[in-house]
Amino acid sequence: MICDDVAYREDYVDYLIEYNGETETVLDIYKDTGCVNFIDERFAVLYRPKPDDYMESFSRLEYTLFPKLYGLMDTSSVEAVGAVNVQQENILGLTGKNIIIGIIDTGIDIQNPLFQNAVGQTRILAAWDQSVPGGEQTGEFPGYGTVYTGDEINEAIRNGTSVLQDENGHGTFLAGIAAGGKTDDFTGVAPEADFAVVKLKPAKQNLKDFYLVSSNAPVFEEDDLLSAMHFLNETAAAEGKPLVLCLALGTNQGSHSGTLPVSLTLARYGNTPGVIPVCA
């Protein structure tokens, strides 16, 4: 089965499966009927050709198989969370230095000085744009989209090239609140932190149709969120720095009992030394 670009193709649908490390078993079951992308040691996404009865399959398949859709959440101001008061206590030295802020959202404006250091170089150590297919991949992950190094982002800044373009503006706003650099009239919560960024690809239309979500709604798939978290964690591990994982997305779908894959994964990272998830 040809698996090129199945993460984007509308004639393929996504199923989220919990495999708990049994890689060979999953491959034996699905290798002839679909394409599998292993997200982490617990979850994988299965891409299969869209069945004729896809819209009716909800009644005969487990609800957990269908990735939930996550939408954008509002963010609070720096003043409202009390960050200014903390920053004024200079003795604490809480500036975010040597910490990575992981952003999972709609992209980021790389040309904005808030995300650059004093000499105009990016503070983004690595980024993954899920919405741009066909980029050069290294190793087994992430398997789709395009990955950028800090050097490549600096080159894009110098050349005025648009990468990680944030058409919505939500991701740029979130990054600015979390770790925008100091200016005369603004500073983020952690102005000296580094960034790792994931620009999520929009949810497939077939999944929007399945959940009766408006076609122009800015929503994103659960499997892409899980892959984004894994990417950020791997980036922080490679850099040898602590990670604050920022997720300003939410959903009213699912069990509401903390058993969704995203909830379980956030809980796991919350119990991992050196990782702090922060959710809107």
Side-chain angles (χ1 to χ4, degrees), residues 51-268:
D52 294 334
D53 63 344
Y54 179 59
M55 295 297 290
E56 293 75 38
S57 60
F58 179 79
S59 61
R60 58 183 175 79
L61 295 176
E62 292 185 24
Y63 181 45
T64 55
L65 283 174
F66 301 97
K68 308 304 177 286
L69 295 178
Y70 284 71
L72 304 175
M73 304 283 283
D74 290 334
T75 53
S76 299
S77 68
V78 176
E79 292 85 0
V81 299
V84 173
N85 293 334
V86 174
Q87 290 167 346
Q88 289 174 347
E89 297 294 336
N90 293 328
I91 191 172
L92 297 175
L94 301 178
T95 63
K97 190 173 182 179
N98 295 321
I99 302 294
I100 294 177
I101 303 292
I103 302 293
I104 303 174
D105 216 278
T106 58
I108 189 171
D109 179 7
I110 64 170
Q111 301 290 347
N112 194 315
L114 287 175
F115 312 124
Q116 299 172 8
N117 60 23
V119 295
Q121 292 185 322
T122 187
R123 291 161 55 205
I124 304 172
L125 301 178
W128 176 26
D129 190 340
Q130 296 181 349
S131 69
V132 178
E136 182 178 350
Q137 304 295 338
T138 57
E140 298 179 357
F141 187 84
Y144 61 100
T146 302
V147 174
Y148 300 96
T149 64
D151 289 340
E152 289 171 331
I153 295 172
N154 278 324
E155 183 178 355
I157 292 172
R158 289 192 296 270
N159 297 335
T161 306
S162 295
V163 299
L164 304 170
Q165 189 171 0
D166 184 11
E167 298 87 351
N168 181 285
H170 189 269
T172 298
F173 180 52
L174 175 66
I177 292 292
K182 294 181 179 180
T183 66
D184 292 338
D185 55 0
F186 179 82
T187 181
V189 175
E192 294 188 21
D194 296 314
F195 286 102
V197 176
V198 177
K199 178 180 178 179
L200 294 165
K201 71 176 182 62
K204 288 183 178 180
Q205 186 60 48
N206 60 46
L207 195 57
K208 288 185 178 182
D209 292 341
F210 182 83
Y211 284 120
L212 304 178
V213 173
S214 171
S215 61
N216 59 2
V219 292
F220 310 93
E221 295 185 23
E222 188 175 20
D223 47 310
D224 291 326
L225 266 68
L226 293 173
S227 296
M229 287 190 277
H230 183 73
F231 173 82
L232 295 178
N233 186 63
E234 291 295 295
T235 297
E239 294 287 340
K241 295 181 178 181
L243 170 69
V244 177
L245 196 159
C246 295
L247 187 64
L249 303 164
T251 185
N252 61 1
Q253 298 173 344
S255 65
H256 303 272
S257 61
T259 56
L260 286 178
V262 165
S263 300
L264 293 171
T265 303
L266 286 169
R268 177 169 61 84

